[in-house]
């Protein structure tokens, strides 16, 4: 049994005072019957709680995918527009945090979760979650660049990168797969090979791709998608579990 007001705030309905006001206004119902008493005990899972006819889920783990547009910074708070503003209001209060970061100008797949353990797992280079980027850049990537990426680049400031995959698509266009998330990593890797990036989009992360999620929209992952993300590297990156810069990583579908 749980208090209705606690269940409402755990579901992201609002702060304690906002929840009080919601209850007072009659917008909350238990099993279809409007309920104004926040102290009422309910049985989550057995009884259905709605806010404006939308079913609430209580406290639960959430993993969300956003198709980030350019112009938003990856932060929970900032003076500039943040990616948090792109999430529906009732998700914004569930303790979601961005998994890693995309630069303000970078578009594409950005995950959020309120599960600290999963967040840590996904950003750890040891877990080798491959991330695929599409880049438009100056110059034309050649075999030497492909080999340099595969061997692990050393950037101008001495930063050593893990082996990565560079797939030239044609003049000024490439796909890049990296398993870590260093500051401006893809842009710096490309620049170090004389190919500064003018446009960057993350298209895949582990087994996930953007699919037809519109730019600026977010959706919750399915249980299968979350389970695939949590799978050990050995199930994602081939037989020995190592991400090998000479091969394309095995993105599960
Ligand atoms: N690498 C970058 O340089 N920028 C991003 O936003 C992501 C990866």
């Amino acid at each position: 049994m749980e208090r209705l007001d606690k269940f409402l705030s755990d579901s992201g309905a609002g702060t304690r005072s906002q929840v009080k006001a919601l209850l007072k206004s009659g917008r909350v119902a238990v099993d279809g019957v409007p309920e104004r008493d926040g102290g009422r005990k309910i049985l989550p899972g057995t009884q259905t709680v709605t806010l404006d006819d939308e079913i609430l889920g209580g406290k639960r783990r959430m993993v969300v995918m956003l198709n980030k547009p350019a112009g938003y910074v990856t932060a929970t708070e900032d003076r500039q527009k943040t990616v948090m503003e792109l999430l529906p209001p009732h998700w914004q209060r569930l303790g979601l945090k961005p998994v890693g970061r995309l630069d303000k100008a970078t578009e594409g797949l950005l995950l959020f979760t309120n599960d600290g353990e999963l967040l840590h797992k996904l950003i750890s280079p040891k877990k080798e979650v491959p991330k695929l980027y599409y880049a438009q850049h100056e110059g034309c990537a050649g075999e030497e660049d492909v080999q340099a990426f595969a061997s692990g680049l050393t950037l101008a400031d001495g930063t050593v990168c893990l082996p990565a995959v560079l797939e030239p698509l044609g003049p000024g266009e490439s796909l890049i797969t990296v398993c870590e998330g260093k500051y401006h990593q893809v842009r710096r890797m490309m620049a170090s090979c004389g190919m500064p990036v003018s446009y960057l989009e993350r298209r895949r992360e582990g087994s996930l791709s953007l699919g037809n999620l519109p730019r600026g929209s977010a959706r919750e992952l399915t249980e299968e998608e979350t389970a695939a993300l949590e799978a050990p590297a050995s199930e994602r990156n081939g037989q020995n579990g190592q991400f090998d810069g000479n091969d394309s990583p095995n993105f599960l579908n």
Side-chain angles (χ1 to χ4, degrees):
M1 296 288 263
E2 196 180 324
R3 278 180 66 106
L4 178 59
D5 49 10
K6 178 162 187 313
F7 180 88
L8 288 166
S9 53
D10 283 349
S11 303
T15 59
R16 225 190 265 184
S17 55
Q18 286 167 335
V19 162
K20 234 184 204 174
L22 285 174
L23 284 159
K24 205 169 161 194
S25 66
R27 291 163 61 191
V28 175
V30 178
D31 290 336
V33 181
E35 177 61 72
R36 290 184 159 80
D37 177 9
R40 152 110 185 251
K41 293 278 176 30
I42 56 149
L43 264 178
T46 305
Q47 290 175 297
T48 304
V49 179
T50 51
L51 170 61
D52 296 334
D53 296 328
E54 189 189 336
I55 297 176
L56 300 180
K59 190 171 188 159
R60 64 196 176 95
R61 176 166 94 153
M62 266 191 106
V63 190
V64 166
M65 175 200 292
L66 169 74
N67 187 344
K68 178 190 174 298
Y72 291 80
V73 294
T74 306
T76 47
E77 278 174 46
D78 201 276
R79 275 176 307 175
Q80 306 177 67
K81 288 187 296 186
T82 76
V83 288
M84 303 310 289
E85 297 170 33
L86 296 161
L87 302 179
H90 62 287
W91 286 0
Q92 293 180 15
R93 293 182 288 260
L94 290 173
L96 290 169
K97 295 206 170 66
V99 177
R101 63 185 298 281
L102 290 179
D103 301 334
K104 186 175 172 186
T106 303
E107 302 197 308
L109 200 163
L110 181 64
L111 294 175
F112 295 77
T113 185
N114 56 5
D115 177 344
E117 208 172 304
L118 179 63
L119 190 140
H120 178 73
K121 194 168 172 175
L122 292 174
I123 59 177
S124 162
K126 287 199 194 96
K127 301 293 175 188
E128 299 183 346
V129 179
K131 296 162 196 90
L132 174 80
Y133 294 87
Y134 164 77
Q136 289 172 0
H137 53 83
E138 279 180 28
C140 187
E143 192 46 38
E144 262 177 40
D145 303 309
V146 172
Q147 284 312 318
F149 269 61
S151 320
L153 286 172
T154 302
L155 305 178
D157 65 355
T159 304
V160 178
C161 301
L162 290 174
V165 179
L166 172 65
E167 296 173 69
L169 294 177
E173 274 187 304
S174 296
L175 294 175
I176 299 109
T177 303
V178 295
C179 281
E180 44 184 355
K182 294 189 164 81
Y183 180 68
H184 290 334
Q185 178 151 5
V186 173
R187 293 175 196 274
R188 289 197 295 152
M189 287 168 89
M190 293 296 284
S192 78
C193 294
M195 298 180 286
V197 168
S198 55
Y199 175 79
L200 192 61
E201 179 191 37
R202 180 149 74 199
R203 291 193 169 165
R204 302 196 76 151
E205 177 156 355
S207 53
L208 295 170
S209 60
L210 284 169
N212 53 11
L213 185 67
R215 192 81 75 205
S217 296
R219 70 167 177 86
E220 197 170 354
L221 297 194
T222 63
E223 276 178 28
E224 292 75 28
E225 286 173 326
T226 306
L229 263 187
E230 291 182 298
S234 55
E235 287 173 30
R236 282 194 311 268
N237 301 337
Q239 287 175 342
N240 61 5
Q242 297 289 302
F243 175 72
D244 179 346
N246 286 304
D247 290 323
S248 289
N250 180 15
F251 287 109
L252 303 176
N253 288 310

